Amino acid sequence: MSEKVSIPDAPVSEPVTMINAFTVPLEEAERFLELWTGNAAAMAALPGFVRTRMYRSLVDDIELRFITHAEWESGKALQQARTDPGWRASMQRLMDDPGLHVIPRPGVYQVALDIRPGDRP
């Protein structure tokens, strides 16, 4: 990925989710979504990718305007995907766009608790 984006290693065989929160100025939101959509398409083509979602805040006056989560079959699949030149180039375009002032905050997680309707924790 971009030198500006440091995704923690998660060399595990179990499923992982990469969660990334983005600070994006309100006036740059649409451009960010356009570029991120290209990044998501590059990511979706990689082995081990399960799915991704982008969440947008309903509040304009907020620091973390967008939050993404991308599910991977394993931490090892994510680690391998991070070496893909197409995905790296896509992320680099997003981070280096002179019209964007984006601050990403990525992390890699595993499910610690899963509660559904009717479950008793």
Side-chain angles (χ1 to χ4, degrees):
M1 298 281 118
S2 168
E3 289 74 34
K4 300 175 186 177
V5 180
S6 177
I7 300 172
D9 286 332
V12 297
S13 299
E14 296 81 21
V16 297
T17 300
M18 182 173 65
I19 298 173
N20 203 342
F22 295 92
T23 297
V24 179
L26 181 60
E27 63 277 7
E28 298 173 11
E30 296 309 316
R31 177 72 179 150
F32 171 78
L33 276 175
E34 178 184 320
L35 289 173
W36 190 86
T37 299
N39 184 58
M43 182 174 43
L46 298 173
F49 174 81
V50 176
R51 78 171 182 172
T52 191
R53 290 178 135 175
M54 166 74 75
Y55 299 89
R56 183 180 193 162
S57 174
L58 296 175
V59 177
D60 285 344
D61 185 24
I62 193 164
E63 180 183 358
L64 300 176
R65 186 160 322 283
F66 294 98
I67 297 176
T68 65
H69 88 263
E71 297 173 22
W72 292 85
E73 289 177 357
S74 70
K76 291 178 182 178
L78 171 58
Q79 222 171 356
Q80 181 62 37
R82 289 174 42 201
T83 67
D84 179 78
W87 190 24
R88 293 175 64 87
S90 176
M91 180 58 80
Q92 195 72 45
R93 278 190 298 278
L94 189 147
M95 295 308 301
D96 290 346
D97 188 291
L100 289 178
H101 303 88
V102 175
I103 302 171
R105 293 171 185 83
V108 181
Y109 302 85
Q110 286 185 304
V111 174
L113 184 61
D114 185 8
I115 299 174
R116 298 166 190 248
D119 289 353
R120 293 184 177 232

